[in-house]
Amino acid sequence: MADTTIQPQDKFALNPMFLLRWEKTQDAYVLLYPEGVIKLNASAAEILKRCNGAATVAELVGELQALFNEDDIIVENGIYRFLETSHAKGWISNQP
Amino acid sequence: MPKDGSVTSLDGLGKPMWLVLELTYRCPLKCVWCNNPLDYDSYASKELSTEEWKQVLREGRELGALQLGFSGGEPMLRDDLEELVAEAESLGYYTNLITSGVGLTPERLSALKQAGLKQIQLSLQSAQRTLTDQLVGARVHDLKLDTARRIKAAGFPMVLNVPVFRQNIDQVEEILALAEEIGVDYLEFANIQYYNWALLNREELLPSREQIDNAEAAVNRARARLGKRMTIYFVIPDYFETRPKACMNGWGSIHLTIAPDGAALPCQEVRVIEGLEFPTVREHSLQWLWHESPLFMKFRGDEWMKEPCRTCDEKEKDYGGCRCQAFLLTGEASNTDPACAKSPDHHIIESAILGSRKPREHKPLIMRTPGGTTVIPS
Ligand SMILES: C[S@@+](CC[C@H](N)C(=O)[O-])C[C@H]1O[C@@H](n2cnc3c(N)ncnc32)[C@H](O)[C@@H]1O
Ligand code: SF4
Ligand code: SF4
């Protein structure tokens, strides 16, 4: 992971303003926060569900590599990229 | 409420994603820019009961509503607010309270937290006690600041809503500093929209172009300094742009307001348009009101548009602007919003701006009171 600030031992949690839940009427997971609603695709939802402040990024990668029927490197890169975006958008933060 | 410039990356797919309940128009304050109806007083006896509001909440979820705002008037005047919040939470809404802070006592704040309330939007009008108290007609400035701190201490994400007009626009920097000190998460400078009480007082409230530019520059400096710590919204009033706002994201597109008497409205101002009927949840299902009522069908999509909107390549961007503003300023709701420079009626906006620049005698401000008989002398 050359161009990332995210480390395998980092533990991310959803910021308290955000609420992640399954929304039947959209047939998808949604992220709710004071000013809006974001509809998540399936892989984004699987990643955010695991941002519980306890699991490390490395563990998360392992679990999702087992879950997704995809090349391991692609899954890993995808997760790092998504975590970076989520962090930049303020959805998640790194737990001490 | 959806802010101009906020993210809704969700295509509503024809669902009323944002539901706003105007629980009551009653309010202890008398703001001179209030966007509540001029005859707000006549709704007090027609307010929906607790059970009727709960029915609205259930039907709203079935229609796909996700974000919920409790507003008014002053929602704290309803003593069933906590019960309604708890019901909304159990149904799965993201619950927002929109309040002036008056009546939000420490006891009620913790009861609302208990009930599961997610977020609070508090309105603040100025960084100066005397100005706030004068313009809202009550001594509440200190109370509002105290309430803001208690809201943060209770762990709520908070939006500080600052309605912006000529009298407070030069205080943007002081207000930013105050918001930073309180630890506000979202600061919204809402250049007021000119309906109802604000329209009555427009000549006195409309800021100058120069004031707006200065305020915007101050906001941009603060954004650079604060980064992610505080999100700041500052939207230039449509009077000063050459294009209208994408009002409500389009009529009957993602937004549904229920007025105190149960009328289902595409936006909270829509009763200013004459000649429309406003059926209520007392007579109809929310399903019918949203999907089929003549009111919601009236300006949905773009079939209703006239020139210049009809053939304009920007109609997907702004949906022809605001129907209420088109009606109030041109007398015809299906006209292009005169805030658009392509509108043949744009001169109405230009002369209002010119009028606000001319040196002239100040007029007294009319306060939100029954009949508007109370004034702040000039
Ligand atoms: C009508 S108030 C009702 C809730 C509560 N009484 C309050 O003032 O916060 C809802 C929001 O609309 C804002 N508001 C009032 N008049 C407005 C206007 N003419 N244009 C834009 N926003 C306005 C208020 O600042 C407040 O944030
Ligand atoms: S804007 Fe002012 S007068 Fe209007 S409802 Fe809110 S607090 Fe009351
Ligand atoms: S003409 Fe109508 S659609 Fe085109 S920019 Fe103006 S308001 Fe929007």
Side-chain angles (χ1 to χ4, degrees):
Chain A
M1 294 294 118
D3 55 348
T4 180
T5 54
I6 291 178
Q7 302 299 318
Q9 68 278 14
D10 286 348
K11 296 175 181 173
F12 285 99
L14 208 56
N15 278 331
M17 256 184 242
F18 293 83
L19 183 71
L20 173 73
R21 65 172 179 69
W22 175 254
E23 176 58 20
K24 201 173 63 184
T25 62
Q26 297 284 342
D27 199 24
Y29 274 92
V30 291
L31 195 58
L32 296 167
Y33 62 107
E35 305 296 279
V37 182
I38 290 158
K39 185 173 176 172
L40 299 166
N41 64 25
S43 43
E46 290 304 330
I47 299 171
L48 286 184
K49 265 199 268 179
R50 287 168 174 77
C51 291
N52 54 12
T56 62
V57 172
E59 286 165 349
L60 201 150
V61 168
E63 273 187 43
L64 293 180
Q65 284 172 334
L67 190 73
F68 295 139
N69 202 3
E70 269 273 19
D71 187 274
D72 280 356
I73 301 293
I74 295 182
V75 173
E76 180 169 14
N77 284 338
I79 293 171
Y80 273 79
R81 243 180 293 124
F82 181 74
L83 288 176
E84 225 156 59
T85 319
S86 305
H87 187 252
K89 287 185 187 293
W91 301 349
I92 55 174
S93 51
N94 199 352
Q95 302 302 297
Chain B
M1 287 222 270
K3 313 278 181 249
D4 289 309
S6 70
V7 201
T8 303
S9 79
L10 218 185
D11 170 1
L13 300 167
K15 298 184 173 76
M17 277 196 318
W18 291 87
L19 177 61
V20 172
L21 309 184
E22 295 185 317
L23 295 180
T24 179
Y25 285 141
R26 289 174 288 130
C27 181
L29 303 187
K30 311 185 183 88
C31 307
V32 295
W33 54 83
C34 184
N35 54 11
N36 279 184
L38 298 178
D39 63 346
Y40 70 92
D41 211 24
S42 68
Y43 291 85
S45 58
K46 299 184 245 171
E47 284 178 20
L48 295 187
S49 67
T50 309
E51 284 315 309
E52 286 172 316
W53 282 120
K54 285 186 178 174
Q55 179 69 19
V56 169
L57 288 171
R58 285 190 292 271
E59 291 186 39
R61 277 297 286 145
E62 278 164 30
L63 279 178
L66 288 165
Q67 286 278 0
L68 180 69
F70 291 101
S71 187
E74 180 43 62
M76 295 312 304
L77 288 182
R78 290 278 307 213
D79 54 19
D80 54 0
L81 180 64
E82 291 82 348
E83 189 179 343
L84 294 174
V85 168
E87 176 79 8
E89 276 298 318
S90 74
L91 290 166
Y93 285 102
Y94 193 97
T95 47
N96 304 268
L97 171 65
I98 301 161
T99 178
S100 68
V102 179
L104 187 50
T105 59
E107 295 73 37
R108 294 197 75 183
L109 188 63
S110 63
L112 287 166
K113 189 81 189 171
Q114 282 273 308
L117 183 69
K118 288 288 179 298
Q119 192 252 168
I120 299 180
Q121 170 176 322
L122 178 74
S123 60
L124 182 77
Q125 289 71 27
S126 132
Q128 291 167 5
R129 182 184 300 118
T130 43
L131 186 63
T132 308
D133 292 355
Q134 185 189 29
L135 294 175
V136 307
R139 294 203 180 156
V140 291
H141 182 80
D142 294 346
L143 174 77
K144 278 171 179 267
L145 292 187
D146 182 44
T147 307
R149 295 198 173 91
R150 284 192 286 112
I151 291 170
K152 280 316 293 175
F156 285 103
M158 177 164 69
V159 177
L160 194 66
N161 171 284
V162 181
V164 176
F165 34 79
R166 185 194 302 165
Q167 288 78 352
N168 68 358
I169 192 166
D170 296 328
Q171 296 179 10
V172 160
E173 256 168 359
E174 292 155 82
I175 295 171
L176 277 159
L178 200 54
E180 193 182 348
E181 185 234 308
I182 293 169
V184 168
D185 304 282
Y186 297 84
L187 174 58
E188 181 193 28
F189 288 107
N191 275 287
I192 56 168
Q193 295 178 294
Y194 293 94
Y195 314 104
N196 295 325
W197 300 92
L199 187 56
L200 284 183
N201 291 309
R202 183 178 67 184
E203 237 183 286
E204 292 304 315
L205 293 172
L206 198 62
S208 70
R209 175 84 231 185
E210 195 193 0
Q211 283 183 303
I212 293 169
D213 291 343
N214 289 340
E216 199 179 20
V219 165
N220 286 334
R221 286 194 298 276
R223 281 187 181 134
R225 184 162 50 83
L226 293 168
K228 265 194 288 180
R229 265 192 295 150
M230 183 162 82
T231 306
I232 310 169
Y233 297 100
F234 180 87
V235 181
I236 297 184
D238 54 4
Y239 271 54
F240 292 91
E241 297 201 288
T242 51
R243 291 293 179 272
K245 296 272 174 281
C247 185
M248 306 322 278
N249 233 30
W251 182 282
S253 156
I254 59 168
H255 192 96
L256 171 61
T257 292
I258 309 295
D261 61 340
L265 310 175
C267 95
Q268 61 196 14
E269 312 303 341
V270 70
R271 275 173 156 153
V272 301
I273 302 179
E274 285 162 23
L276 297 178
E277 287 200 42
F278 304 100
T280 78
V281 296
R282 285 187 166 128
E283 305 118 33
H284 298 280
S285 69
L286 214 51
Q287 162 82 25
W288 181 86
L289 289 162
W290 174 259
H291 285 292
E292 292 173 52
S293 69
L295 177 64
F296 276 84
M297 302 297 279
K298 181 105 184 161
F299 300 114
R300 197 175 253 153
D302 57 15
E303 289 292 298
W304 56 271
M305 284 184 185
K306 300 199 261 189
E307 293 298 349
C309 295
R310 179 178 280 279
T311 53
C312 178
D313 60 6
E314 293 177 66
K315 66 181 175 189
E316 302 294 325
K317 255 197 277 176
D318 60 35
Y319 318 100
C322 170
R323 296 306 91 225
C324 303
Q325 184 150 283
F327 176 82
L328 287 172
L329 301 187
T330 76
E332 172 56 55
S334 60
N335 281 342
T336 296
D337 184 335
C340 181
K342 298 186 189 181
S343 156
D345 300 303
H346 189 57
H347 60 90
I348 297 172
I349 296 282
E350 289 174 316
S351 60
I353 294 172
L354 277 179
S356 77
R357 285 218 315 251
K358 281 206 200 96
R360 64 193 153 75
E361 292 208 355
H362 285 285
K363 288 207 298 194
L365 284 161
I366 301 166
M367 307 210 78
R368 188 197 117 133
T369 47
T373 44
T374 312
V375 295
I376 302 176
S378 49

